[in-house]
Amino acid sequence: MTSFAPDSIVLNRKLPLWYQVSQSLRASILGRSPEAPLRLPTEEQLAEHYGVSVLTMRQALKELEDEGLISRHRRRGTFIEPGVRRGTPVQLLGSVDAIVAQQSGMTTELLDHGTAPVPAEMAEYFPDLARVATYHRLRSDEKTGEPTNHAVNHVRPELAARIDLDDLVRWPMTKVLRDVVEADISRITDTVEARLADPETARLLQVPLLSPILHYTGVTYDSSGRVLDVVVIHYRGDRFAFTVTLDAT
């Protein structure tokens, strides 16, 4: 039986290895194609793939098992749960792979794209630009078709010129910038606040006007401190909860 092939990552020694591996594997699982195998490689094979110990890999797999993404069977192996509800948890967990995992696992429709003058509320992020590339995407629950969030990305034009639109339907912008465009991503800052749905957001998310929503802003920086991408996402307040995990070490 063919095994599912997870993406590779470069581990950050400042964060727990098991956590980084679990988030990378979670992103790979949630972003897999429908025809991808459900069986995972063995613990030993996964440990070699990520360059960690079997003990670390075991801890990472336990995290995914506790979340209900995978099931483990003695002598049979480890399998992705085909009917797992995907896309509901939104976690701010301190790594790029956590952001990728956060954005994965839903059906994505590209509503609109193009270039536009830098919006006034984005001017502080792009002081050197007159125009930015914008991408509007609507994500939906892949089982019910119910809209779950609406995202608008503002991307530097020189990066946008290297983006394939098909990739934006398959993967989150963060993954496209990092793994396809090979942008120099150094850090991402997250801001979350409660708001009420305006008429356009209510229409897109199919919720009553003035319903509670979660307003998320993510700013992606390169190693020089330059902003590469600013995304504004409106999440349905009845479908999402944000979790922040702090490492005490």
Side-chain angles (χ1 to χ4, degrees):
M1 179 184 295
T2 303
S3 295
F4 175 73
D7 294 340
S8 297
I9 60 170
V10 177
L11 295 174
N12 180 347
R13 297 294 165 177
K14 295 181 180 180
L15 292 170
L17 296 181
W18 69 266
Y19 158 70
Q20 295 178 72
V21 170
S22 70
Q23 290 306 301
S24 176
L25 188 52
R26 183 179 188 272
S28 296
I29 289 172
L30 294 180
R32 73 191 187 282
S33 61
E35 64 274 9
L38 294 177
R39 184 173 187 172
L40 290 178
T42 66
E43 287 181 353
E44 291 76 12
Q45 290 170 331
L46 286 171
E48 182 179 358
H49 174 77
Y50 285 111
V52 297
S53 69
V54 172
L55 185 61
T56 296
M57 193 67 239
R58 194 167 295 157
Q59 189 174 3
L61 291 173
K62 184 180 184 303
E63 180 81 3
L64 300 182
E65 184 179 25
D66 290 345
E67 189 179 335
L69 284 178
I70 63 173
S71 59
R72 310 179 75 186
H73 307 275
R74 183 179 293 273
R75 297 189 180 89
R76 289 182 54 216
T78 302
F79 296 84
I80 299 168
E81 286 292 329
V84 70
R85 187 176 181 87
R86 292 156 60 175
T88 299
V90 179
Q91 301 182 342
L92 307 182
L93 298 173
S95 74
V96 172
D97 284 288
I99 299 297
V100 172
Q102 167 191 313
Q103 298 169 359
S104 299
M106 288 168 276
T107 300
T108 301
E109 177 185 1
L110 182 62
L111 300 177
D112 189 25
H113 68 93
T115 60
V118 175
E121 64 272 21
M122 297 290 161
E124 64 177 300
Y125 301 116
F126 301 105
D128 58 325
L129 297 179
R131 299 178 69 83
V132 289
T134 60
Y135 301 88
H136 293 251
R137 288 176 295 167
L138 184 67
R139 299 187 181 102
S140 304
D141 186 288
E142 62 179 12
K143 289 187 175 180
T144 66
E146 179 184 59
T148 57
N149 67 85
H150 172 240
V152 181
N153 286 85
H154 304 81
V155 183
R156 298 189 69 88
E158 66 270 23
L159 298 178
R162 295 154 56 190
I163 292 175
D164 187 321
L165 296 181
D166 288 340
D167 288 338
L168 289 181
V169 176
R170 297 172 55 200
W171 296 318
M173 177 66 80
T174 306
K175 180 176 176 61
V176 172
L177 289 176
R178 184 189 66 177
D179 298 342
V180 179
V181 176
E182 297 184 340
D184 170 27
I185 296 179
S186 175
R187 62 187 174 96
I188 299 174
T189 63
D190 301 296
T191 304
V192 184
E193 58 184 304
R195 291 193 180 181
L196 300 178
D198 58 34
E200 179 63 9
T201 300
R203 182 186 69 82
L204 288 169
L205 298 184
Q206 297 180 14
V207 297
L209 182 65
L210 302 182
S211 294
I213 61 171
L214 295 176
H215 180 91
Y216 165 89
T217 304
V219 185
T220 302
Y221 297 85
D222 67 12
S223 55
S224 70
R226 185 182 63 163
V227 172
L228 306 179
D229 167 51
V230 180
V231 62
V232 175
I233 308 177
H234 289 149
Y235 292 95
R236 284 181 55 149
D238 61 344
R239 288 291 307 276
F240 288 89
F242 277 78
T243 300
V244 179
T245 297
L246 300 178
D247 179 22
T249 59

